[in-house]
Amino acid sequence: MRGWCVDLASIYSVETDYIQNLIRYQREGFVYGVYQGKLFSSVFQPIVDSAGHLFAFEGLVRISDEQGRVINPGDYFSLMAPGDRASVISTLLCGKLHSINLAHTQYRDRKLFINVAPSVFSLLANNRQSIEQLIHRLRCLRLVSSQIVYEITEFEEADLAGIVKGKEELYKYGIVTALDDYGTCYSTRERALKIRAPYLKIDRSHIGNAGFVAEAVSLARTIDAKTIAEGVETRQEFEMCRELGVDYFQGYWLAKPLESHRLASYQPVAL
C-alpha cells in the first residue's frame, strides 16, 4: 500500500498468536502488554448521553518505558512510519488490551471506542484474515462485533479510498467507525462527507464555539451520524452542547479516564 507493506501473515500465524505473546496477566483477569521494552496498559473514559447515562467507553492506552517513565501515546505513534510493522503491532496490542480488560468488568456489554491510525485501519480493515481474527477474539471474550467502534484519527495520508472501503468491509461484520478530532487540520467537513462514519467526534478545541458545534451537529444529521463532544470540562460547555443537539459527551467534567480495576467505582455526574 503506497510504498509500505506489512506481512500480516507473520502476525496472524496459525501456529502462534504473536499479539497474545505480548500480553501479561494481572489480578482479576486484567492485562497489560510489553512490546519493544515498553509497557502498555488500558484506561477507559466514559461517554454519556444527554441525560448522563453511560453509553460507551473509549479505550485509551498508557505507555511507559522500562524505567517507569511515562511516554505520551501521541508522540509514540507519531514517530512511526505510517503502517509499519511496529505501528500495526502496537495498534493490535492496544485493541486487544482494551477488549480483554473491558470484558472483565461489569460493563462488558457497553460499546468500546478504539483509536486507530488511518494507515493501519486501511491495512487491517481490508484484510479478511485480520477481521476474522478480531471476530474470533471477541467471541472468545463473549463480546459482540457491534460493540466495537474504531475511531479514525486525523490524517494527511492519501489513501482515503482504502479507508472508505475498509469502513464498508467492517460494516458487513457489524463493526462501525467514528471520525475523530473533527475540526482539526485534516479532519474536515469534506473528509466527513466522504467517509460518512456513524459517529462524528467534535474536537475539544471547538467545544466552546457554539457556531462550530451547531455546524457539526448539522453536518452529522446530513450524513446520518451521531455527534460526540470531546473534552467537556465544565457544566457550561455540557449544557451549551446539549442545547445545540449534541448526542453524546466525553470529558474530565463528566469523568476522567479510569483504570480497569477502578471501573467498578465509576459514578456518573448528576445532571
Side-chain angles (χ1 to χ4, degrees):
M1 296 179 62
R2 300 187 186 278
W4 44 263
C5 181
V6 175
D7 180 14
L8 288 176
S10 68
I11 298 174
Y12 294 120
S13 169
V14 175
E15 290 78 19
T16 180
D17 184 339
Y18 184 89
I19 305 301
Q20 183 62 37
N21 290 334
L22 305 177
I23 300 291
R24 304 291 183 268
Y25 285 84
Q26 300 173 294
R27 56 184 178 143
E28 300 174 351
F30 296 127
V31 296
Y32 65 95
V34 178
Y35 177 57
Q36 293 186 339
K38 308 293 190 300
L39 187 149
F40 296 71
S41 60
S42 292
V43 294
F44 297 91
Q45 187 166 33
I47 299 172
V48 304
D49 66 15
S50 60
H53 299 141
L54 180 65
F55 169 66
F57 287 100
E58 179 178 354
L60 300 165
V61 66
R62 296 292 181 259
I63 307 174
S64 58
D65 63 18
E66 293 174 318
Q67 286 72 46
R69 292 183 293 245
V70 174
I71 299 171
N72 182 287
D75 294 340
Y76 174 81
F77 283 100
S78 68
L79 292 174
M80 297 178 179
D84 71 4
R85 182 178 172 85
S87 179
V88 171
I89 289 173
S90 297
T91 298
L92 290 171
L93 175 60
C94 291
K96 189 156 191 168
L97 293 175
H98 299 331
S99 55
I100 293 174
N101 285 328
L102 187 67
H104 282 84
T105 74
Q106 67 197 75
Y107 298 110
R108 56 174 300 109
D109 62 335
R110 301 294 175 167
K111 287 188 179 295
L112 174 61
F113 284 65
I114 299 174
N115 284 282
V116 59
S119 55
V120 177
F121 174 84
S122 182
L123 177 68
L124 298 177
N126 288 292
N127 181 276
R128 179 174 294 181
Q129 188 179 18
S130 70
I131 299 175
E132 291 177 350
Q133 181 80 357
L134 170 62
I135 300 300
H136 173 71
R137 185 182 76 215
L138 293 173
R139 286 173 180 165
C140 290
L141 293 170
R142 291 183 293 131
L143 302 177
V144 295
S145 57
S146 59
Q147 290 179 247
I148 303 300
V149 181
Y150 279 122
E151 290 191 26
I152 305 171
T153 56
E154 64 163 324
F155 61 100
E156 58 180 322
E157 293 122 289
D159 192 23
L160 182 60
I163 290 169
V164 173
K165 184 175 182 293
K167 184 204 77 167
E168 294 169 351
E169 286 297 315
L170 287 176
Y171 186 75
K172 297 175 184 176
Y173 294 83
I175 300 171
V176 299
T177 53
L179 184 63
D180 199 17
D181 304 321
Y182 178 67
T184 53
C185 188
Y186 300 107
S187 191
T188 62
R189 178 182 179 86
E190 292 71 26
R191 190 152 284 177
L193 287 168
K194 290 178 180 177
I195 295 177
R196 292 182 172 266
Y199 296 97
L200 186 70
K201 299 194 76 175
I202 306 170
D203 188 72
R204 66 184 65 244
S205 63
H206 295 289
I207 291 304
N209 184 333
F212 185 90
V213 172
E215 181 274 329
V217 170
S218 175
L219 169 62
R221 289 173 179 168
T222 298
I223 60 176
D224 196 26
K226 299 293 186 181
T227 46
I228 301 174
E230 295 185 290
V232 176
E233 297 189 351
T234 66
R235 175 177 285 276
Q236 291 73 21
E237 289 176 340
F238 170 80
E239 291 180 347
M240 183 196 75
C241 289
R242 180 168 62 176
E243 290 173 3
L244 290 170
V246 171
D247 298 290
Y248 301 108
F249 308 83
Q250 177 182 0
Y252 273 30
W253 181 72
L254 296 158
K256 294 181 179 180
L258 299 164
E259 296 175 335
S260 307
H261 66 276
R262 296 188 182 279
L263 285 182
S265 64
Y266 166 63
Q267 294 292 330
V269 173
L271 300 176

